[in-house]
């Protein structure tokens, strides 16, 4: 079994954060989303992994994952170029996959229970594909599966106006190499993409059985800023956080706090977990870091109160206000305007930024 990890796409719903890098590298609990996928593949025994790259951030992704040896896997890079849909991306991996079965994993998706059950379930039968499903509240926004009373998949529809069920296809699939012939026969959908959901429907039409596996733990497609914040909450809630850094006497800390070795919580600061603070970051006196916050590396916080937020890193937050439910891109700086005249907020805001003042 091989792995095909999709790391292309434009990340348009995460602008401006994705103006400078691929969405798959956004950090959740101070770890790039893509790393969670590599670890899930490895845990399922899949070490031969093809990473499909789009135009955006190719070098950054290759720099992070390298040849895979740091993760105990073997990585081959495949260039998709233009983002013409998930099935197009899968089709680009045809030579890499050959006649093997493979797991296709969307590199911006994250789930807590891993993919071992999905892979094992597929391997028990003679299936054309295995899909992971989860009930969602907004089925119009996903690929949806219909199943009969015995739980067999009977139909798959991409973003249906009138969904027959609320069982969404989540971003992990297992395929036999028969899927490549189905992909060759696909026509672009209404959104101009070759849909993987349509390819699975073609496998069904060809008489293949489709295995389905309902995922009960949490799953998140990190396509939008609020999804990153939610994924960050879910991961901070679930993972072990290690305090390796320095907590000075006089600092108030409660709950679970992940503190990198070179990070410091200074005397007079208040930190309430679950929180993750990365290397070379200092939380100075008068600062409050509240639950469900991740602060990236090489940052300084002084006087600010911040909660339920993700700060990507290399940032300086020294204003005395409150920041909640926010995603701050790399090298962001939030300073005080108290001494300045005329009074008012001073903003340098990038294209597609969103501010709620
Ligand atoms: C894609 C798939 C869809 C699936 C979803 C899971 O949607 O097309 O079938 O349910 O991922 O995240 P997209 O993110 O391209 O809208």
């Amino acid at each position: 079994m091989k792995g095909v990890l999709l790391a292309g796409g434009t990340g348009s719903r995460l602008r401006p954060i994705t103006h400078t890098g691929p969405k798959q590298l956004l950090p959740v609990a101070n770890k790039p989303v893509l790393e969670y996928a590599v670890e899930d593949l490895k845990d399922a025994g899949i070490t031969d992994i093809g990473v499909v790259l789009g135009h955006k951030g190719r070098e950054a992704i290759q720099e992070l994952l390298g040849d895979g040896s740091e993760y105990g896997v073997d990585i081959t890079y495949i260039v998709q170029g233009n983002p013409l849909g998930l099935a197009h991306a899968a089709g680009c991996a045809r030579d890499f996959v050959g006649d093997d079965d493979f797991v296709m994993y969307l590199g911006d998706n994250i789930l807590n229970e891993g993919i071992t059950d999905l892979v094992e379930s597929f391997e028990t039968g003679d299936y054309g594909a295995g899909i992971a499903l989860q009930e969602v509240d907004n089925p119009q926004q996903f690929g949806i599966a219909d199943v009969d009373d015995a739980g067999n998949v009977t139909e798959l529809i991409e973003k249906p106006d009138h969904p027959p069920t609320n069982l969404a296809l989540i971003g992990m699939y297992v395929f036999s190499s028969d899927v490549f012939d189905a992909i060759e026969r696909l026509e672009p959908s209404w959104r101009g993409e070759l849909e993987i959901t349509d390819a699975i429907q073609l496998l069904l039409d060809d008489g293949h059985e489709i295995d389905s596996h309902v995922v009960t733990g949490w799953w998140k497609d990190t396509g939008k800023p609020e999804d990153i914040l939610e994924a960050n909450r879910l991961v901070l809630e679930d993972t072990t956080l290690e305090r390796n850094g320095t907590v000075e006497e006089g600092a108030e800390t409660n709950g679970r706090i992940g503190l990198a070795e070179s990070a410091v919580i200074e005397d007079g600061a208040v930190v309430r977990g679950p929180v993750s603070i990365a290397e070379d970051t200092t939380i100075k006196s008068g600062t409050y870091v509240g639950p469900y916050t991740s602060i990236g590396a090489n940052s300084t916080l002084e006087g600010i109160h911040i909660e339920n937020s993700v700060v990507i890193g290399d940032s300086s937050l020294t204003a005395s206000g409150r920041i909640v439910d926010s995603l701050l891109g790399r090298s962001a700086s939030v300073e005080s305007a108290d001494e300045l005249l005329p009074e008012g907020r001073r903003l340098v805001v990038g294209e597609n930024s969103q501010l709620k003042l």
Side-chain angles (χ1 to χ4, degrees):
M1 176 90 58
K2 286 184 175 145
V4 172
L5 184 51
L6 303 195
T10 56
S12 57
R13 290 171 299 170
L14 272 159
R15 289 176 187 150
I17 304 291
T18 47
H19 280 316
T20 48
K23 58 181 171 176
Q24 295 84 0
L25 295 191
L26 291 184
V28 163
N30 279 318
K31 185 157 89 176
V33 175
L34 198 57
E35 270 189 42
Y36 292 92
V38 173
E39 288 171 3
D40 279 355
L41 288 165
K42 166 113 194 308
D43 289 346
I46 299 165
T47 53
D48 199 359
I49 302 174
V51 175
V52 182
L53 303 168
H55 284 309
K56 180 161 255 155
R58 280 184 202 171
E59 293 77 19
I61 289 169
Q62 295 185 59
E63 201 175 300
L64 176 78
L65 299 180
D67 63 2
S69 50
E70 264 188 47
Y71 302 87
V73 299
D74 191 0
I75 289 182
T76 304
Y77 292 98
I78 300 158
V79 174
Q80 176 190 16
N82 291 330
L84 301 177
L86 296 179
H88 174 252
C92 295
R94 188 171 195 160
D95 288 346
F96 165 75
V97 169
D99 295 330
D100 282 329
D101 297 332
F102 67 103
V103 168
M104 175 169 119
Y105 199 126
L106 307 191
D108 60 348
N109 277 231
I110 180 165
L111 83 167
N112 79 329
E113 66 181 43
I115 55 166
T116 307
D117 289 353
L118 173 71
V119 172
E120 283 177 357
S121 173
F122 174 87
E123 283 176 332
T124 58
D126 183 19
Y127 298 108
I131 55 177
L133 301 172
Q134 185 164 88
E135 289 192 5
V136 292
D137 297 331
N138 45 350
Q140 289 86 356
Q141 291 173 23
F142 295 94
I144 294 297
D146 199 359
V147 289
D148 66 16
D149 293 342
N152 301 311
V153 178
T154 55
E155 193 184 13
L156 298 121
I157 321 159
E158 182 63 25
K159 301 194 173 63
D161 290 333
H162 305 287
T165 70
N166 61 353
L167 288 171
L169 286 138
I170 72 171
M172 301 88 199
Y173 313 77
V174 197
F175 290 114
S176 71
S177 57
D178 291 317
V179 75
F180 293 117
D181 292 321
I183 289 170
E184 298 250 303
R185 286 180 277 141
L186 286 177
E187 297 289 337
S189 65
W190 57 269
R191 61 172 173 168
E193 294 190 2
L194 298 183
E195 305 289 351
I196 199 66
T197 308
D198 294 346
I200 308 169
Q201 177 64 46
L202 277 183
L203 286 172
L204 255 186
D205 295 344
D206 289 347
H208 290 281
E209 274 191 61
I210 308 298
D211 184 36
S212 71
H213 170 79
V214 177
V215 170
T216 47
W218 57 260
W219 151 69
K220 211 67 221 149
D221 172 347
T222 59
K224 302 192 288 295
E226 56 268 34
D227 299 325
I228 293 281
L229 297 185
E230 196 180 341
N232 186 61
R233 281 198 294 276
L234 292 164
V235 173
L236 286 177
E237 191 77 45
D238 269 8
T239 48
T240 316
L241 299 168
E242 287 177 27
R243 278 195 200 200
N244 296 319
T246 307
V247 179
E248 288 184 1
E249 213 180 303
E252 186 191 319
T253 59
N254 326 96
R256 294 184 308 113
I257 297 168
L259 195 63
E261 210 178 312
S262 51
V264 183
I265 302 176
E266 289 189 356
D267 177 10
V270 177
V271 179
R272 299 211 175 115
V275 155
S276 169
I277 299 169
E279 58 275 12
D280 297 323
T281 282
T282 304
I283 312 298
K284 291 184 167 281
S285 178
T287 306
Y288 166 69
V289 181
Y292 305 110
T293 303
S294 292
I295 312 285
N298 200 25
S299 299
T300 303
L301 277 66
E302 185 166 16
I304 201 123
H305 290 200
I306 187 165
E307 209 169 82
N308 192 39
S309 295
V310 170
V311 177
I312 293 182
D314 298 322
S315 289
S316 167
L317 312 182
T318 58
S320 56
R322 282 175 56 79
I323 292 181
V324 296
D325 307 351
S326 296
L327 175 58
L328 277 75
R330 189 166 297 286
S331 302
S333 133
V334 181
E335 295 169 2
S336 173
D338 285 353
E339 315 270 292
L340 300 174
L341 287 174
E343 278 181 22
R345 297 186 163 102
R346 286 167 176 73
L347 311 170
V348 179
V349 177
E351 236 177 277
N352 311 106
S353 294
Q354 303 162 40
L355 299 152
K356 291 194 173 72
L357 300 173

